[in-house]
């Protein structure tokens, strides 16, 4: 019982709540063209009226359809049950919503009264009429006539009248087809911005009106409904003459608003179109497109000549709030111009908008306080505007009346957010009074205004600014410490502590500078030296006292100006040059290089020779030293003077250096044979000697050095049977093959010794006599054979039989021994006398030089040397014509004897050496001096600075007792060598040196000499030449 009573009370309360509202709405959906008595809905259930108990009502619940007398309702309602059914009246959506735009929803509304009075309510029922495909698309006419100019380009397009389908959506027009286009025309369908499909005829081939002026085809249009509906029209194309400019609307889209109380004849808008053609082709005809609804055509009038649209019948906003008028302008051509006019029918505007401000940032005394560092888009307040009018009259916009750094950003249709649109700056503006304006879209519009105050709070947001972002200054070097250079200044747009500036040096600032943090005065705290550093780049900082502090920087360039505070610097304090005595006058002796660390005129150095030396000149700029004299080493071996270097400063500075020029000989020595001692000596070769055995060794010496003293041996004559060969390096003569009986006898070999001098080598020849026999029984006979062989041609060998008796052989041997002993004693005596009378200057030449040496060759004067030698030879008239008498020192050493104490036995022997023709060196084909523009050769000296004591080493390890001058390059180049390393050049420079000159040294050449004692034994002795 309690449960029933509770249910009853709940139902009563629910009924009270529902029915006290007074009115209700209910929506249903129904398809058009539905048959009669189709159930649509049940109001009793849908409105929850079944909860009301019947016993509380005075009469049963009744549903009454309310409609105007004379109207035929499209639905009926069962009064007792509230069920809704269709009637026999046709539900045609296209008829019901004829004035509604094609894409809008179509509604049918009725009112139903719920009785009795205890529960009376008026219910508004809205039926959404769904479209079905009950209409076929139709062209405006069954025959479509268009005219196309004959000069239409291929792919030209021409608009065709669009088909009309009252249905909407997929049931509307979907596709066009061209039937029997004859490959002359094609069809394309484009979709307009409004969603309409417009057919266009495409010219696919060139037209010729004279050939054919009319084409007849069919155009088919289809919708997308089910079942699909379609229709066709005959398309007749006439080819016309050219009208190549179509009209052009000044405005292709125009939207206008007109109040609903506008009287008939009121101008809606004036369309303007132009045509570039003239005459008949420029006459423009305005007309509505067939897509314009019939209601719009009924309400508006278009002047076909002027393009003026006026109100034709009274407007009713409730009937149709807007109209789309597609206006075409044609000059008789195929494609008219299109312009869309949107006419909005507005209410009468009689309500003023209202403004409601809701603060997001809490105001203080009605004023919002914002920091000047507030970020962009900081939200200040929410602005809500409202208007009681409808449509445009109720559409309200809100804006500010002048330029402020704030903006209104819409969030809903009638709400705006007031936010910052730019950064605030306290220094420029401290307070803003923002006037908000709200205006509706009425004609004329009504508006309302409201004021909002914003104050800006100051922050430290301005960094200091230098008056000069780049500071360039100059200061002379050698300044006094503490010299003031400049005053750096900066400004700050802030105020108070935020504008107080202190100055600092950047981390890259050198220690030579100081910056006063308060005044900004830049000083040089150290003495500056341009030669150490010419320019200083560093940064200075300006910092304010704000929290946090801000700073900025500037770049400072300090240029140190040059002063003449450096003297010229020679690459060496002392220069030694070696020149050949045949160097011509004004040739090049050497090059002196001087540097000055200063700049400009202070570094312009001029060279000169002190003490007025007329023997030599020096180029003041290049430092090239040239002689004014001809050198003669026999008269003077060296020259010494001082060179002065002076700069071009206002107060000039100078330096001096010592120059020593040494005069040296040239290479002019040919090889000299030591073994064999003469062309008349001979060597016994046993027939039993095995092939490959060394039977004799030829030894020659060359007083030159280096490559000029390196010898190669060769057999150039004799040796007709080819029994012997010679080693070109050692001079060893070996037996090539086994001797036979026919080989017994005397064999003469002409041996040539040639040095490797360049470009032409020098050589000498000697005759080596080899006697092939078991013994030497008759020496006199052999000497006679040797003499005859020398007089005979070199191609024949002398063979003899040993027919002497043993007794005569013994006598001959004793005579030879006595003669040999006398010869040895005589040689020793003559050698001792020569050594005792040796000149002192030759002994002094044996000492090593301590200073560094540069050699300057010049081959031109070699001719002079050769001429002097010839003169000397002519003076020696007492000497034999073809014999040259020298002395050699013969030492017998025992290198392998453990008991040897290092002593040697030395014998002085006279040796006859045949003088042969010597190849002459062609000195005339070589240059005399190096070019004036030759490289700075003195830079070679820098590697040896400070100058050490040099020893110039010979290329071959010989210990000679005479002064040897090596053959040098033809150009004047200089390379210094120390006492340990050999000199060589790896440079590809044509002026670089390839060999070095060598110091005076003593050498001994060990050679093997075979003597012929009576006991037929052979001993080895060492021969040293002293020249």
């Amino acid at each position: 019982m309690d449960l029933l009573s509770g249910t009853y009370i709940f139902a009563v309360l629910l009924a009270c709540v529902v029915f006290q509202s007074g009115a209700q709405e209910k929506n249903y959906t129904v398809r058009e063209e539905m048959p009669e008595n189709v159930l649509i809905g049940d109001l009793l259930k849908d409105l929850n009226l079944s909860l009301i108990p019947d016993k509380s009502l005075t009469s049963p619940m009744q549903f009454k359809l309310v409609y105007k007398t004379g109207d035929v309702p499209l639905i009926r309602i069962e009064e007792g049950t509230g069920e809704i059914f269709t009637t026999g009246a046709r539900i045609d959506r296209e008829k019901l919503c004829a004035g509604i735009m094609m894409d809008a929803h179509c509604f049918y509304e009725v009112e139903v009264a719920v009785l009795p009075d205890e529960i009376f309510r008026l219910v508004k029922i809205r039926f959404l009429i769904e479209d079905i495909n009950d209409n076929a698309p139709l062209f405006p006419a069954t025959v479509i006539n268009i005219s196309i100019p004959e000069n239409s380009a291929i792919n030209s397009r021409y608009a065709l009248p669009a088909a009309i389908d009252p249905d909407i959506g997929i049931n509307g027009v979907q596709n066009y087809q061209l039937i029997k286009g004859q490959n002359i025309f094609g069809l394309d369908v484009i979709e307009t911005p409004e969603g309409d499909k417009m057919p266009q005829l495409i010219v696919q081939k060139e037209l010729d009106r004279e050939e054919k002026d009319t084409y007849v085809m069919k155009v088919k249009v289809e919708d997308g409904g089910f079942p699909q509906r379609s229709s066709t029209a005959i398309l007749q194309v006439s080819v016309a003459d050219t009208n190549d400019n179509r009209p052009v609307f000044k405005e292709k889209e125009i939207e206008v608003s007109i109040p609903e109380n506008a009287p008939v004849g009121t101008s809606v808008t004036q369309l303007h179109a132009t045509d570039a053609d003239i005459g008949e082709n420029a006459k423009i005809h305005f007309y509505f497109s067939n897509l314009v609804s019939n209601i719009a055509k009924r309400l508006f009038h278009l002047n076909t000549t002027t393009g003026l649209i006026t109100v034709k019948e009274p407007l009713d906003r409730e009937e149709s709030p807007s109209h789309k008028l597609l206006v075409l302008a044609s000059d008789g051509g195929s494609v008219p111009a299109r312009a869309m006019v949107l006419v909005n029918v507005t209410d009468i505007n009689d309500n003023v908008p209202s403004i409601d401000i809701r603060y997001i940032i809490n105001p203080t005394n009605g004023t919002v306080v914002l920091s000047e560092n507030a970020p962009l888009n900081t939200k200040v307040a929410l602005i809500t505007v409202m208007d009681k009018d409808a449509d445009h009259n109720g559409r309200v916009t809100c804006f500010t009346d002048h330029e402020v750094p704030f903006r209104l950003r819409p969030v809903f249709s009638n709400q705006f957010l007031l936010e910052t649109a730019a950064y605030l700056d306290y220094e420029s503006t401290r307070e803003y009074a923002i006037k908000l304006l709200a205006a509706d879209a009425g004609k004329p519009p009504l508006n309302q205004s409201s004021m909002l105050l914003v104050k800006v709070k100051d922050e430290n947001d301005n960094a200091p600014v230098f008056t000069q972002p780049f500071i360039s200054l100059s200061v002379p070097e050698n300044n006094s410490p503490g010299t003031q250079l400049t005053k750096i200044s900066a400004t700050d747009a802030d105020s108070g502590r935020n504008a107080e500036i202190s100055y600092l040096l950047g981390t890259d600032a050198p220690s030579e500078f100081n910056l006063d943090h308060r005044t900004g005065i830049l000083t040089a705290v150290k003495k500056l030296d341009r030669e150490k550093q010419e320019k200083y780049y560093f940064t200075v900082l300006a910092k304010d006292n704000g929290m946090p502090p801000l700073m900025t920087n500037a770049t400072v360039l300090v240029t140190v100006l040059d002063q003449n505070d450096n003297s010229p610097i020679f690459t060496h304090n002392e220069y030694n040059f070696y020149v050949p005595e045949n160097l011509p006058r004004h040739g090049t002796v050497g090059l002196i290089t001087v540097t000055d660390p200063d700049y400009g005129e202070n570094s312009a150095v001029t060279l000169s020779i002190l003490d007025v030396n007329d023997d030599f000149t020096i180029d003041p700029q290049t430092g090239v030293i040239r002689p004014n004299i001809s050198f003669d080493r026999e008269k003077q071996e060296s020259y010494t003077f001082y060179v002065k270097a002076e700069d071009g400063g206002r107060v000039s500075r100078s330096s001096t250096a010592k120059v020593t020029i040494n005069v040296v000989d040239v290479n002019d020595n040919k090889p000299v044979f030591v073994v064999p001692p003469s062309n008349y000596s001979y060597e016994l070769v046993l027939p039993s000697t095995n092939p490959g055995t060394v039977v004799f060794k030829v030894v020659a010496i060359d007083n030159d050095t280096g490559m000029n003293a390196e010898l190669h041996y060769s057999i150039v004559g004799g040796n007709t049977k080819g029994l012997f060969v010679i080693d070109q390096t050692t001079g060893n003569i070996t037996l090539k093959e086994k001797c036979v009986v026919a080989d017994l006898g005397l064999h003469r070999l002409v041996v040539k010794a040639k040095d490797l001098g360049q470009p032409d080598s020098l050589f000498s020849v000697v005759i080596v006599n080899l006697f092939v026999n078991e013994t030497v029984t008759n020496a006199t006979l052999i000497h006679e054979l040797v003499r005859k062989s020398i007089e005979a041609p070199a191609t024949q060998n002398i063979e003899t039989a040993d027919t002497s008796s043993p007794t005569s052989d013994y006598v001959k041997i004793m005579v030879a021994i006595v003669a040999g002993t006398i010869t040895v004693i005589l040689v020793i005596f003559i050698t001792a006398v020569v050594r005792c009378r040796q000149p002192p200057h030759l002994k002094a030449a044996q000492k090593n030089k301590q200073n560094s040496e540069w050699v300057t060759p010049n081959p031109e004067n070699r001719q002079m040397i050769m001429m002097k030698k010839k003169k000397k030879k002519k003076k020696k008239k007492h000497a034999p014509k073809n014999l040259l008498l020298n002395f050699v020192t013969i030492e017998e050493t025992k290198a392998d004897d453990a008991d040897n104490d290092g002593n040697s036995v030395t014998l002085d022997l006279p040796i006859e050496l045949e003088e042969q023709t010597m190849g002459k060196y062609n000195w005339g084909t070589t240059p005399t001096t190096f070019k004036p523009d030759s490289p700075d050769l003195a830079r070679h000296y820098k590697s040896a600075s400070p100058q050490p004591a040099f020893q110039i080493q010979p290329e071959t390890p010989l210990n000679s007792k005479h002064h040897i001058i090596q053959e040098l390059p033809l150009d004047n180049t200089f390379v210094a060598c120390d006492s340990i390393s050999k000199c060589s050049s790896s440079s590809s420079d044509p002026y670089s040196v390839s060999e070095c000159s060598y110091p005076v040294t003593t050498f001994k050449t060990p050679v093997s000499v075979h003597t012929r004692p009576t006991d037929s034994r052979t001993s080895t002795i060492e021969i040293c030449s002293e020249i």
Side-chain angles (χ1 to χ4, degrees):
M1 184 65 184
D2 294 337
L3 181 60
L4 294 175
S5 61
T7 304
Y8 177 77
I9 293 172
F10 174 77
V12 172
L13 292 175
L14 181 61
C16 292
V17 172
V18 172
F19 289 104
Q20 283 180 359
S21 62
Q24 285 182 285
E25 292 185 359
K26 186 61 182 174
N27 295 327
Y28 292 98
T29 300
V30 59
R31 289 188 296 108
E32 65 173 335
E33 306 293 347
M34 290 185 65
E36 188 177 1
N37 294 326
V38 175
L39 179 62
I40 299 174
D42 188 343
L43 289 179
L44 184 63
K45 293 181 180 179
D46 296 340
L47 298 178
N48 294 323
L49 299 179
S50 60
L51 297 178
I52 301 176
D54 292 339
K55 62 181 180 179
S56 64
L57 302 178
T58 57
S59 61
M61 185 180 299
Q62 185 180 8
F63 298 90
K64 187 71 173 178
L65 183 65
V66 181
Y67 59 92
K68 186 177 180 181
T69 304
D71 289 347
V72 178
L74 300 180
I75 55 99
R76 67 180 178 85
I77 297 179
E78 291 291 332
E79 295 183 354
T81 63
E83 294 178 336
I84 305 173
F85 295 92
T86 58
T87 66
R90 179 187 175 192
I91 302 176
D92 188 355
R93 179 188 177 281
E94 288 73 29
K95 183 177 181 181
L96 288 175
C97 300
I100 304 300
M101 297 180 63
M102 297 295 293
D103 54 352
H105 294 295
C106 179
F107 292 97
Y108 172 69
E109 296 182 356
V110 296
E111 288 77 26
V112 176
V114 181
L115 301 174
D117 292 338
E118 293 90 333
I119 60 172
F120 176 79
R121 281 295 177 269
L122 184 63
V123 180
K124 181 183 290 292
I125 301 177
R126 300 182 68 192
F127 295 93
L128 175 61
I129 309 301
E130 289 186 344
D131 182 53
I132 64 173
N133 192 22
D134 57 343
N135 293 280
L138 297 175
F139 286 101
T142 57
V143 178
I144 301 173
N145 292 303
I146 65 170
S147 178
I148 297 178
E150 63 177 336
N151 63 345
S152 297
I154 296 177
N155 294 327
S156 298
R157 295 171 177 263
Y158 297 92
L160 297 180
I164 300 175
D165 193 329
D167 296 325
I168 62 172
I170 193 66
N171 296 327
V173 175
Q174 297 298 319
N175 189 31
Y176 292 89
Q177 294 182 8
L178 182 64
I179 302 174
K180 297 182 181 179
Q182 305 174 30
N183 295 327
I184 302 296
F185 299 96
L187 190 67
D188 189 17
V189 179
I190 62 172
E191 188 170 347
T192 65
E194 296 80 20
D196 299 325
K197 291 181 173 56
M198 301 292 295
Q200 288 188 345
L201 188 67
I202 302 176
V203 178
Q204 295 180 341
K205 291 186 178 180
E206 294 182 356
L207 303 178
D208 188 354
R209 189 190 64 82
E210 288 71 24
E211 182 179 345
K212 188 173 184 180
D213 59 356
T214 303
Y215 296 89
V216 178
M217 296 162 283
K218 286 185 179 181
V219 180
K220 182 179 180 181
V221 61
E222 298 174 339
D223 61 20
F226 183 81
Q228 188 179 55
R229 297 177 181 271
S230 63
S231 64
T232 58
I234 297 174
L235 176 62
Q236 184 170 313
V237 179
S238 299
V239 181
D241 283 336
T242 301
N243 180 16
D244 55 350
N245 289 285
R246 67 174 184 172
V248 177
F249 277 103
K250 184 178 181 181
E251 294 177 312
K252 293 184 178 180
E253 293 184 1
I254 302 174
E255 183 176 358
V256 297
S257 298
I258 185 170
E260 59 181 337
N261 61 348
V264 175
T266 301
S267 297
V268 177
T269 185
Q270 173 69 59
L271 298 177
H272 297 280
T274 59
D275 195 313
D277 295 325
I278 60 175
E280 292 296 327
N281 291 332
K283 291 183 179 180
I284 300 175
H285 175 71
F286 298 92
Y287 58 95
F288 285 126
S289 170
N290 62 326
L291 297 179
V292 177
S293 65
N294 293 328
I295 295 178
K297 291 180 180 179
R298 177 173 56 84
L299 295 177
F300 299 97
H301 174 263
L302 175 61
N303 191 308
T304 59
T305 304
T306 63
L308 177 64
I309 300 176
T310 57
V311 177
K312 186 177 180 181
E313 292 184 4
L315 303 177
D316 187 356
R317 192 193 66 82
E318 289 71 24
E319 179 184 355
S320 182
S322 63
H323 302 275
K324 288 185 177 180
L325 305 179
L326 181 58
V327 179
L328 303 179
S330 175
D331 61 354
S334 58
V335 180
R338 302 170 68 253
M340 178 61 70
V341 179
L342 178 61
V343 180
N344 297 315
V345 181
T346 62
D347 279 340
I348 300 301
N349 188 24
D350 55 355
N351 290 285
V352 177
S354 62
I355 300 176
D356 180 30
I357 301 176
R358 300 175 187 177
Y359 291 97
I360 297 176
I361 298 177
N362 295 329
T364 302
N365 297 327
T367 302
V368 176
V369 179
L370 276 180
S371 171
E372 65 175 334
N373 289 340
L376 291 177
N377 306 324
T378 299
K379 309 299 184 292
V380 178
L382 176 65
I383 312 298
T384 303
V385 294
M386 295 178 294
D387 194 309
K388 295 180 181 179
D389 291 326
D391 299 331
H392 289 282
N393 294 332
R395 186 178 303 164
V396 182
T397 58
C398 189
F399 53 91
T400 58
D401 66 335
H402 59 276
E403 291 293 331
V404 290
F406 298 90
R407 65 186 173 198
L408 291 171
R409 183 167 63 86
V411 290
F412 296 108
S413 60
N414 62 338
Q415 289 184 313
F416 303 86
L417 279 175
L418 179 65
E419 61 185 11
T420 57
Y423 292 105
L424 305 180
D425 189 0
Y426 174 84
E427 287 72 28
S428 61
T429 305
R430 301 185 179 185
E431 188 178 55
Y432 295 94
I434 304 172
K435 186 177 181 180
L436 302 176
L437 295 177
D440 59 23
K443 298 290 184 178
L446 302 179
N447 56 69
Q448 181 66 281
S449 65
S450 181
M451 192 68 67
L452 189 148
L453 298 178
V454 176
K455 285 188 177 180
V456 182
K457 180 183 177 182
D458 185 30
E459 301 288 350
N460 185 28
D461 59 341
N462 289 282
V465 178
F466 282 97
T467 55
Q468 290 180 277
F470 181 80
I471 304 168
S472 178
L473 53 99
S474 59
V475 57
E477 64 176 334
N478 304 322
N479 59 290
S480 300
T483 301
Q484 179 176 333
L485 303 181
T486 187
K487 182 176 182 180
I488 298 172
S489 61
T491 59
D492 196 312
D494 294 324
S495 58
R497 290 185 57 83
N498 295 335
E500 295 178 0
I501 300 175
S502 57
Y503 301 92
L504 303 170
L505 285 174
T507 57
D508 60 343
S511 60
E512 287 84 354
F513 302 96
N514 180 56
L515 181 64
D516 190 284
H517 74 279
R518 185 176 59 84
T519 62
I521 295 177
L522 180 66
T523 57
V525 296
K526 294 182 179 180
K527 184 178 179 180
L528 303 180
D529 188 353
R530 190 202 67 83
E531 287 69 38
K532 292 183 179 179
Q533 187 169 350
E534 182 179 2
K535 295 182 183 294
Y536 295 87
Y537 285 93
F538 56 92
T539 56
V540 292
L541 306 175
K543 182 178 70 173
D544 61 23
N545 291 331
M547 293 299 294
L550 301 178
M551 66 174 60
T552 186
N553 60 67
T555 302
V556 177
L557 169 60
V558 178
T559 303
V560 182
L561 302 179
D562 182 55
Q563 289 186 337
N564 191 22
D565 56 346
N566 291 278
S567 299
I569 301 173
F570 287 92
T571 55
H572 294 81
N573 294 328
E574 182 177 351
Y575 294 87
N576 284 321
F577 297 104
Y578 283 80
V579 297
E581 60 180 338
N582 62 349
L583 183 70
R585 289 189 181 186
H586 310 300
T588 300
V589 172
L591 178 69
I592 292 179
T593 301
V594 184
T595 59
D596 194 317
D598 291 325
Y599 179 76
E601 291 295 330
N602 296 331
S603 65
V605 179
T606 302
L607 297 172
S608 61
I609 298 177
L610 296 178
D611 300 333
V612 191
N613 189 328
D614 295 334
D615 293 341
F616 298 93
T617 61
I618 186 169
D619 190 290
Q621 279 73 40
T622 63
V624 176
I625 299 176
R626 303 180 187 276
N628 291 330
I629 60 174
S630 297
F631 294 109
D632 189 347
R633 182 180 174 279
E634 286 68 30
K635 292 182 179 180
Q636 186 171 350
E637 294 184 355
S638 64
Y639 299 85
T640 301
F641 55 87
Y642 288 87
V643 174
K644 177 183 177 182
E646 184 176 10
D647 61 26
R650 188 171 294 178
V651 179
S652 63
R653 289 174 173 267
S654 62
S655 300
T656 59
K658 182 180 178 181
V659 178
T660 299
I661 300 174
N662 300 285
V663 183
V664 298
D665 280 335
V666 295
N667 180 32
D668 55 355
N669 294 283
K670 68 175 181 177
V672 177
F673 282 97
V674 177
V675 179
S678 71
N679 291 335
Y680 295 94
S681 62
Y682 66 92
E683 180 71 15
L684 176 64
V685 179
L686 298 177
S688 60
T689 303
N690 294 323
T693 303
V694 177
V695 298
F696 191 73
K697 181 173 183 178
V698 178
V699 178
I701 61 173
D702 194 316
N703 290 335
D704 295 325
T705 60
M707 296 295 291
N708 296 325
E710 186 172 341
L711 303 180
H712 280 183
Y713 299 94
S714 61
I715 299 176
V716 297
N719 196 24
T720 56
K721 296 185 178 182
L723 278 180
F724 305 96
V725 293
I726 188 169
D727 188 288
Q728 69 171 359
T729 304
T730 63
N732 291 335
I733 299 176
T734 59
L735 185 63
K736 183 177 180 182
E737 53 189 36
K738 189 70 174 176
C739 295
V740 296
V741 177
D743 295 330
L744 297 179
L746 184 65
H747 294 262
R748 184 178 65 165
L749 308 180
V750 181
V751 177
K752 177 182 179 182
K754 180 180 69 172
D755 61 27
L756 299 183
Q758 293 296 330
D760 294 327
S761 62
L762 305 179
F763 64 89
S764 297
V765 295
V766 71
I767 296 177
V768 177
N769 298 291
L770 300 178
F771 185 66
V772 181
N773 201 18
E774 293 292 342
T775 60
V776 180
T777 57
N778 190 346
T780 304
L781 177 60
I782 297 175
H783 282 293
E784 182 62 22
L785 293 176
V786 170
R787 186 185 63 78
K788 291 181 179 180
S789 68
I790 293 175
E791 296 175 356
T795 57
Q796 56 178 314
N797 293 331
I798 300 176
E799 300 180 3
T800 181
D802 190 359
T803 58
S804 61
S805 64
T807 303
S808 61
D809 290 342
Y810 177 78
V811 175
K812 294 178 181 178
I813 291 173
M814 293 303 294
V815 173
I817 292 173
V818 173
T821 303
I822 296 173
T823 302
V824 170
I825 295 171
L826 182 61
V827 169
I828 293 173
F829 175 78
I830 296 174
T831 302
V833 172
V834 172
R835 284 191 175 185
C836 292
R837 299 184 63 184
Q838 184 180 15
H841 70 275
L842 292 179
K843 294 181 180 180
Q846 297 177 2
K847 297 182 180 180
N848 293 331
K849 295 183 179 180
Q850 298 179 354
N851 293 333
S852 61
E853 298 177 350
W854 290 273
V855 179
T856 304
N858 194 316
E860 281 192 357
N861 282 355
R862 299 192 183 188
Q863 297 177 358
M864 187 182 299
I865 295 174
M866 298 302 295
M867 292 173 64
K868 290 181 180 179
K869 288 179 178 280
K870 291 179 180 179
K871 292 178 180 180
K872 292 179 181 179
K873 293 178 181 179
K874 291 179 180 180
K875 292 179 181 179
K876 298 178 182 179
K877 296 180 179 179
H878 61 277
K881 182 178 181 181
N882 293 324
L883 296 179
L884 178 62
L885 181 62
N886 288 338
F887 293 95
V888 298
T889 300
I890 304 175
E891 294 183 357
E892 181 177 0
T893 61
K894 298 180 180 179
D896 298 331
D897 190 356
D899 298 331
N900 185 15
D901 58 357
N903 296 327
S904 61
V905 179
T906 302
L907 297 178
D908 290 340
L909 299 175
I911 301 176
E912 290 181 339
L913 300 177
E914 181 178 0
E915 182 177 3
Q916 302 292 338
T917 305
M918 177 187 295
K920 301 301 181 181
Y921 193 97
N922 186 10
W923 302 101
T925 59
T926 58
T928 59
T929 60
F930 63 86
K931 304 180 182 68
D933 57 349
S934 61
D936 187 358
L937 302 174
R939 292 185 180 177
H940 291 292
Y941 313 150
K942 293 183 180 180
S943 62
S945 180
Q947 179 177 340
F950 296 105
Q951 291 294 338
I952 302 179
Q953 297 297 324
E955 185 172 333
T956 57
L958 301 178
N959 293 323
S960 174
K961 291 182 179 179
H962 72 284
H963 193 183
I964 301 173
I965 304 302
Q966 183 199 1
E967 179 63 23
L968 295 177
L970 301 182
D971 287 330
N972 193 0
T973 58
F974 319 102
V975 174
C977 299
D978 56 24
S979 59
I980 299 175
S981 63
K982 289 182 64 178
C983 279
S984 63
S985 175
S986 60
S987 172
S988 61
D989 190 345
Y991 297 102
S992 62
V993 70
S994 61
E995 299 292 344
C996 290
S997 58
Y998 304 118
V1000 176
T1001 182
T1002 303
F1003 71 95
K1004 295 182 179 181
T1005 305
V1007 298
S1008 296
V1009 179
H1010 298 281
T1011 61
R1012 198 177 305 278
T1014 56
D1015 55 0
S1016 301
R1017 291 182 297 174
T1018 302
S1019 63
T1020 302
I1021 62 175
E1022 290 186 355
I1023 300 175
C1024 295
S1025 173
E1026 178 181 353
I1027 299 175

